[in-house]
Amino acid sequence: MTFENILVAVEDNLAKVTINRPKKLNALNKSTIEELHEAFKSLEENKDVKVILLTGSGEKAFVAGADISEFAHFSVDEGGKLAAKGQELLFDFVENLSTPVIAMVNGFALGGGLELAMSCHFRIASDNAKMGLPETSLGVIPGYGGTQRLPQLIGKGKAMELIMTAGMISADEAKSYGLVNYVVPQDELQGLGEKLASKITKNSSVAIGKAIKAVNDGFKDGINGYQSEVQQFGACFGTEDFKEGTTAFLEKRKADFPNK
Ligand code: COA
């Protein structure tokens, strides 16, 4: 896969997607969002890929937000469409991907950048990372799911404060809020991402995909998460992975999942 604004590398069971506009601090313009959609779609279809790591190019930024230069002149209608299209193509798409996506936040994750990190299934950060939703300082609100996912992850009060102050928090603060799971020096971030990925790839990809769905369903309007869990749990019993996982346990050996 070759793209203009992103880099995609696949090695064994691991894919790495790097947003590659370092001169613009990896700001998300329309074509970057479209390319990310194509990349995630094709990586999900590639059954060899069991984990996707997402990061930003350079040492300064994960993503410094949506590309302000692209929407500064937009009308009400265009603004609404910008948010809707972005959520559909990228933010909701990543959240609902059956392949786990880990955000490696390697610097500024602001606005759409933090919203993208929050769409990933979990986040790790380097100690220089800074996170925030500065949209109200631009006269707008977070439009790529930030008003929903930030309160889900850190609670309503802290989310309200971050959105209203448009402030930035450090990686350590983000960890204490539960927004990122680990903080490490920048040169250890990739290694940590790979270590976590290798733990995930040992398990059943089919079960992991179903767990992602059950967890996400609990946050969706009109869907009962417990019922979804019952359905996904039951469906596991019809998979080859379940047969292999339980048989391997009973035979006292490591499971070798066919991922079917
Ligand atoms: N959209 C478009 N371009 C952006 C951008 C964004 N969200 N964030 C950074 N850039 C561009 C800058 O315009 C600059 O481009 P230029 O060199 O052509 O002028 C380049 O990236 C480097 O950014 P710069 O502001 O010079 O770096 P800095 O180290 O002084 O500041 C930030 C870093 C992150 C504090 C600052 O870039 C910033 O506040 N960015 C916007 C953050 C934001 O509001 N995001 C939410 C958008 S909804």
Side-chain angles (χ1 to χ4, degrees):
M1 282 181 278
T2 48
F3 298 101
E4 224 176 282
N5 303 297
I6 65 172
L7 304 169
V8 180
V10 179
E11 205 179 318
D12 301 325
N13 297 139
L14 185 62
K16 187 176 175 194
V17 177
T18 307
I19 300 161
N20 191 30
R21 300 181 75 216
K23 286 188 184 144
K24 294 290 173 190
L25 303 186
N26 305 318
L28 294 175
N29 60 3
K30 187 169 177 275
S31 60
T32 305
I33 288 177
E34 286 166 358
E35 288 185 4
L36 284 167
H37 175 81
E38 284 313 313
F40 281 116
K41 189 163 169 257
S42 121
L43 290 172
E44 187 182 43
E45 283 161 7
N46 181 347
K47 291 303 164 202
D48 290 336
V49 172
K50 300 208 180 113
V51 179
I52 303 168
L53 300 176
L54 175 66
T55 196
S57 175
E59 295 185 346
K60 199 168 163 183
F62 173 72
V63 171
D67 193 318
I68 299 167
S69 66
E70 263 190 2
F71 64 74
H73 60 280
F74 273 14
S75 66
V76 169
D77 191 41
E78 288 171 318
K81 284 185 180 144
L82 177 76
K85 196 78 192 158
Q87 292 195 18
E88 180 197 329
L89 283 184
L90 184 57
F91 299 82
D92 288 353
F93 193 78
V94 168
E95 182 171 70
N96 292 305
L97 217 68
S98 58
T99 310
V101 186
I102 306 172
M104 298 196 301
V105 180
N106 58 315
F108 288 113
L110 302 174
L114 180 56
E115 290 172 302
L116 181 56
M118 291 193 293
S119 299
C120 295
H121 299 115
F122 65 92
R123 290 144 292 286
I124 61 176
S126 55
D127 53 11
N128 65 315
K130 292 229 176 324
M131 285 160 252
L133 293 178
E135 284 87 345
T136 59
S137 71
L138 296 163
V140 67
I141 71 166
Y144 287 148
T147 64
Q148 306 304 301
R149 292 191 183 100
L150 191 61
Q152 284 169 14
L153 287 164
I154 70 171
K156 190 173 167 185
K158 277 284 169 207
M160 285 286 198
E161 181 186 337
L162 261 182
I163 291 168
M164 289 176 192
T165 60
M168 287 186 212
I169 55 171
S170 67
D172 285 335
E173 283 173 291
K175 182 164 175 262
S176 74
Y177 293 177
L179 187 53
V180 302
N181 294 6
Y182 301 93
V183 176
V184 291
Q186 192 164 52
D187 61 359
E188 293 174 22
L189 190 62
Q190 167 85 13
L192 175 62
E194 287 174 7
K195 192 170 139 197
L196 292 165
S198 79
K199 287 188 186 178
I200 295 170
T201 55
K202 289 194 177 75
N203 301 321
S204 159
S205 298
V206 178
I208 286 170
K210 292 186 188 308
I212 290 172
K213 178 161 172 46
V215 172
N216 282 343
D217 279 352
F219 291 94
K220 283 180 186 154
D221 238 8
I223 299 182
N224 182 314
Y226 292 97
Q227 274 173 12
S228 168
E229 184 182 275
V230 166
Q231 275 166 7
Q232 297 305 316
F233 178 83
C236 288
F237 286 68
T239 67
E240 291 180 30
D241 277 12
F242 173 75
K243 284 185 187 65
E244 168 59 12
T246 48
T247 305
F249 178 81
L250 295 171
E251 290 176 354
K252 300 191 187 306
R253 61 173 173 83
K254 281 202 175 127
D256 181 13
F257 290 110
N259 297 305
K260 287 182 188 159

